[in-house]
Amino acid sequence: MTYHIQVLHFGVPMRLAFHLLSGLTALILSSASVSTSVLAQNADADGIVVYNAQHESLTAEWAAGFTKQTGIKVTLRNGSDTELGNLIVQEGKASPADVFLTENSPSMVLVEQAGLFAPLPADTLAEVPANFRPATGGWIGIAARSTVFAYDKAKLKPEQVPKSLLDLADPIWKGRWAASPSGADFQAIVSALLELKGEDATTAWLKAMKENSVPYKGNSTAMKAVNAGQVEGALIYHYYWFGDQAKTGENSKNVELAYFRHQDPGAFVSISGGGVLASSKHADQAKAFVKWIAGKGGQEVLKNGTSYEYAVGVDAPSNPKLVPLAELQAPNVEVSKLNSKKVTDLMTAAGLL
C-alpha cells in the first residue's frame, strides 16, 4: 500500500502539522497487520462454516491455527467426501457452507462440475505446484496420501508382493488381499485407474476384485486384518500404518508397506482439496482460510502433526518419517478428471457396492 503525505499549513500551527504527520506515520508502520485485523472485524460473530470431509483432528488443528492468527471463528461440519459433496450439490446456492474440504479429489470435481465453487485468487493458487491442483483454479490441493500395499511380513517376503495394482486381478490372489470398497479412499484409487487405463480395463479389474478380494469397512480395519493374519495384504493409504506406528503399533506390528512406484496405477497419490463456495456470505474470510491451509501455516501442521499426510505446498517439507513424494514415482493424473459418479456406477455393476 502506498501513502502520499502532504502537509498543508494554511494557518495551521506547525506543532499540529507535526502531530498529523506522526499519526499518519504510525498508520503506515502498522499496515502489515491491517489485512488480518480487517478480516476479523468484517467477519460476523459466527465466522465461517466449513463442510469438512478431511480427518477431524487435522482440520480442527488447521482451524485453531487460523483462528489464532486471524481472530476468525471456524465452525466445522464433519462428514464423508461423498456425503458432503452430494449435500452441497443438493443445497446449491442455498448452502450454508463457506468452504469445502475433502480427503480425496473426486468430490471436489463433483462440486466444481455443478458450478458451485468461486475461483480462487492467483496468490492462493501460487501456494501449491500445478500438479497438486486443477488447471481450472476452482479449488486447490491441501494435502496428499499415497496408495500402498500393506502386507503381512510373516507371510510374504518383499519379492512376493504384487509389483502392480493390476496383478491383484490374478486368480492366485483370490482370498488373499483386502480393501474397503465402500470408502471414498478406495474409490479415488479406482477413479485413477479409470483415468489411466480406461473403462474396459477398469471393469475387468473390478470384476476380478469381486472374486479375489476380502471386503472390510475402513482402511484401518483392513490393515488390522492383515496384522491379525486374516489376509496377506490390503490396498490402503500410507498414513494408517504411520499413524498406528506412532502410537502403540498394536494394529500394525506385523505389517510392512510396499510402494508400487514406476507410474503404476497403484502408485497413485490422492490429493485432498479445499475450495470456497460461490454462495459464501463471507467470501474474503473463506478465501483467507483456504490460503492459510495451503500456505506455510497449514502445511507446517502437516509436517509437525500426527496426521502423517503429505504436505503439498511449494517447497513445503512433509513429516520426515514419510517416504519423500518425489520417490513415489506416482502416475501423472489430472485431478479434475477423476470421476466419482462413473466409478460408483462401475463398482455397483461389479457387485462391490
Side-chain angles (χ1 to χ4, degrees):
M1 184 179 294
T2 303
Y3 294 88
H4 298 282
I5 304 172
Q6 184 177 22
V7 180
L8 302 176
H9 297 286
F10 297 108
V12 178
M14 183 61 71
R15 185 168 57 184
L16 177 57
F18 175 78
H19 287 313
L20 290 172
L21 178 59
S22 298
L24 286 172
T25 302
L27 175 62
I28 295 170
L29 294 176
S30 65
S31 62
S33 61
V34 167
S35 58
T36 55
S37 63
V38 168
L39 283 172
Q41 290 170 7
N42 289 342
D44 65 17
D46 294 327
I48 60 173
V49 174
V50 176
Y51 277 15
N52 175 51
Q54 246 293 351
H55 289 184
E56 294 182 20
S57 58
L58 172 59
T59 306
E61 194 170 355
W62 275 337
F66 175 73
T67 299
K68 181 178 180 180
Q69 183 171 322
T70 66
I72 300 170
K73 179 182 177 183
V74 179
T75 299
L76 302 177
R77 179 171 179 180
N78 299 308
S80 70
D81 282 359
T82 304
E83 173 193 5
L84 293 179
N86 286 328
L87 178 60
I88 290 173
V89 172
Q90 180 181 1
E91 292 173 337
K93 295 180 181 180
S95 178
D98 297 293
V99 172
F100 182 35
L101 304 181
T102 64
E103 289 189 357
N104 303 282
S105 61
S107 288
M108 301 299 293
V109 176
L110 176 70
V111 173
E112 183 173 36
Q113 289 180 343
L116 297 175
F117 280 138
L120 292 174
D123 62 345
T124 298
L125 297 175
E127 297 284 0
V128 172
N131 57 316
F132 294 135
R133 53 180 168 83
T136 60
W139 56 275
I140 195 170
I142 54 175
R145 58 276 302 280
S146 172
T147 311
V148 295
F149 188 73
Y151 66 95
D152 184 340
K153 58 187 179 183
K155 294 185 176 181
L156 293 175
K157 298 177 181 179
E159 60 270 23
Q160 294 176 310
V161 301
K163 300 298 185 288
S164 168
L165 175 76
L166 301 178
D167 291 346
L168 292 170
D170 192 304
I172 64 172
W173 283 99
K174 183 177 178 64
R176 298 171 61 192
W177 68 282
S180 176
S182 63
D185 286 355
F186 188 81
Q187 291 168 24
I189 296 171
V190 178
S191 191
L193 176 62
L194 176 63
E195 174 61 19
L196 291 165
K197 296 298 183 181
E199 185 171 339
D200 289 345
T202 302
T203 298
W205 189 84
L206 290 173
K207 182 179 179 181
M209 177 185 170
K210 174 64 177 176
E211 295 298 318
N212 291 351
S213 69
V214 180
Y216 288 88
K217 187 171 180 60
N219 282 273
S220 294
T221 307
M223 184 179 71
K224 289 178 183 178
V226 176
N227 190 64
Q230 297 172 12
V231 287
E232 294 176 37
L235 200 62
I236 63 173
Y237 282 149
H238 75 278
Y239 58 86
Y240 291 95
W241 185 87
F242 282 95
D244 189 71
Q245 287 282 301
K247 296 175 184 176
T248 63
E250 62 182 319
N251 298 312
S252 60
K253 61 184 178 181
N254 302 320
V255 180
E256 291 286 357
L257 299 185
Y259 294 82
F260 292 101
R261 294 187 168 89
H262 309 295
Q263 289 74 50
D264 188 82
F268 168 62
V269 171
S270 183
I271 305 301
S272 302
V276 175
L277 278 297
S279 56
S280 170
K281 295 180 175 60
H282 314 102
D284 289 343
Q285 293 77 38
K287 290 175 181 178
F289 180 63
V290 172
K291 182 180 181 181
W292 189 90
I293 291 175
K296 181 179 179 181
Q299 298 300 290
E300 284 189 347
V301 170
L302 292 171
K303 174 181 177 290
N304 300 323
T306 58
S307 70
Y308 295 99
E309 296 187 52
Y310 283 99
V312 295
V314 173
D315 297 326
S318 296
N319 189 299
K321 293 183 179 181
L322 304 181
V323 176
L325 269 173
E327 296 181 13
L328 297 179
Q329 301 174 6
N332 185 19
V333 179
E334 171 52 54
V335 291
S336 65
K337 294 182 179 180
L338 298 186
N339 189 320
S340 59
K341 176 64 168 61
K342 183 65 175 178
V343 164
T344 54
D345 287 346
L346 292 176
M347 293 182 69
T348 300
L352 292 164
L353 296 178

